Amino acid sequence: MESISMMGSPKNLNETFLPNVANGIKDARKTTIGIIGSGDFAKSLTIRLIRCGYHIVVGSRNPKLAAEFFPHVVDVTHHEDAVAKTNIIFVAIHREHYASLWDLKHLLTGKILIDVSNNTRIDQYPDSNAEYLASLFPDSLVVKGFNVISAWSLQLGPKDASRQVYICSNNVQARHQVIELARQLSFIPIDVGALSSSREIENLPLQLFTLWKGPVVIAISLATFFFIYSFVRDVIHPYVKNQQSDFYKIPIEIVNKTLPIVAITLLSLVYLPGLIAAAYQLYYGTKYRRFPLWLDNWLQCRKQLGLLSFFFATVHVAYSLCLPMRRSERYLFLNMAYQQVHANVENSWNEEEVWRIEMYISFGIMSLGLLALLAVTSIPSVNSALNWREFSFIQSTLGYVALLISTFHVLIYGWKRAFEGEYYRFYTPPNFVLALVLPSIVILVTG
């Protein structure tokens, strides 16, 4: 096991490197910070540090050329001179260039080296860049940090990007120094412990929607299945049986029949794993047994499933509002009016249908409002303003209420048609019947 040093290096460790720390220099303008490297990240970091009152010295292989790209207040010099002028140094060069600092090993003894590098692939090397840097300079205090912050966000300030900065090091005092530096730059430092965590930190910028892949695949699969199902029933069936061409329904009507089914199914999938987990614990008689990997991953993806459910429901509302705008709908309306006149029908009012549509729309609006509330409270800034009881009430209790109201919305839409044979085309049940299966199971088991 690697040891975590609680003591500093015998050279200059008790000297402060940062303002506003214990035993520290109070004036940031008197604090010098070094940066090895003159790339885009180094330039952006320099600008950010200058704005916060630090004096910066930059080490470059070609200081005359590099000086043209830095503010005039920055001391751009050779690596050796830059290292000699400061005790805290950002190493803003690629891993393959670490060895170029080998001749400066004696000057780096006891100094904090902040490794900000990233790789191009996850787990690209057997060890992390920070661990490799520490192996090259064992007498230096290597800290991993600031690698999850882009050059763009450094220039614009943390208000325009993520404020979290992950920091780790085997030396506790050096780690605290860098944490304080992150605070001075208005970032939120997160202490992740020893340098062994640097591998995970370096993989963070390379991850692309890790928790979204599964939910997105599920949503696309459901949407594809129900779209084909609706297409076969509502377009192919009339064409085969009556030679009636309803292919014009594909862009809007068939899509709009698919969206709500996917939305309510995804919402059911948010609460179904909790029931499975409870049954799992009851079966084994303990809550300390680890869940299977598939169930554990499912539980972790509930937020993404809920947000996708809200997305499909919102798009469903937009499509529904567009239904009366279609030219086909206008033609159908005119044809119905002509048929009424031709049949000498003065009043076509249907009390039952009026009530059905009124309740159907009302429940739809309420369910969308609750889904919007669930989506808003999942935002980290809103979530942090709630205590656990408040968050649990909204996400759990109101979530089940949203599922219940959505189920009523679908039931009222179906009404008596679930029992009429003409709606079972190709001997398949109507779409709304399939949409009710999963939510009904969740509601019945929960109740």
Side-chain angles (χ1 to χ4, degrees), residues 407-428:
T407 305
F408 280 132
H409 176 66
V410 178
L411 281 170
I412 295 172
Y413 170 79
W415 207 246
K416 298 177 181 179
R417 288 179 291 180
F419 308 102
E420 298 176 1
E422 63 179 294
Y423 289 99
Y424 285 80
R425 300 165 185 171
F426 287 138
Y427 304 100
T428 59

Side-chain angles (χ1 to χ4, degrees), residues 267 271 307 369-379 391 393-396 398-400 402:
L267 185 60
Y271 297 99
L307 290 174
L370 287 173
L371 282 176
L373 179 62
L374 296 174
V376 169
T377 53
S378 68
I379 299 174
F391 179 78
F393 173 77
I394 294 174
Q395 294 291 330
S396 181
L398 293 185
Y400 279 112

Side-chain angles (χ1 to χ4, degrees), residues 214-230 257-269 305 308-309 312 434 438:
V216 168
V217 169
I218 292 173
I220 293 176
S221 301
L222 288 172
T224 303
F225 171 78
F226 286 116
F227 179 85
I228 296 174
Y229 188 83
S230 300
K257 284 189 175 183
T258 302
L259 294 170
I261 306 176
V262 178
I264 195 171
T265 303
L266 289 174
L267 185 60
S268 303
L269 292 176
L305 289 169
L308 286 171
S309 173
F312 277 90
L434 296 181
L438 208 54

Side-chain angles (χ1 to χ4, degrees), residues 364-391:
I365 294 173
M366 285 190 289
S367 60
L368 180 65
L370 287 173
L371 282 176
L373 179 62
L374 296 174
V376 169
T377 53
S378 68
I379 299 174
S381 59
V382 178
N383 182 8
S384 61
L386 302 172
N387 60 40
W388 171 247
R389 188 174 182 181
E390 294 168 341
F391 179 78

Side-chain angles (χ1 to χ4, degrees), residues 323-343:
L323 289 177
M325 303 178 188
R326 298 181 302 160
R327 181 65 64 179
S328 59
E329 196 70 18
R330 297 180 186 180
Y331 288 149
L332 290 173
F333 179 77
L334 290 173
N335 289 339
M336 289 176 60
Y338 174 78
Q339 291 171 5
Q340 255 185 248
V341 172
H342 187 71

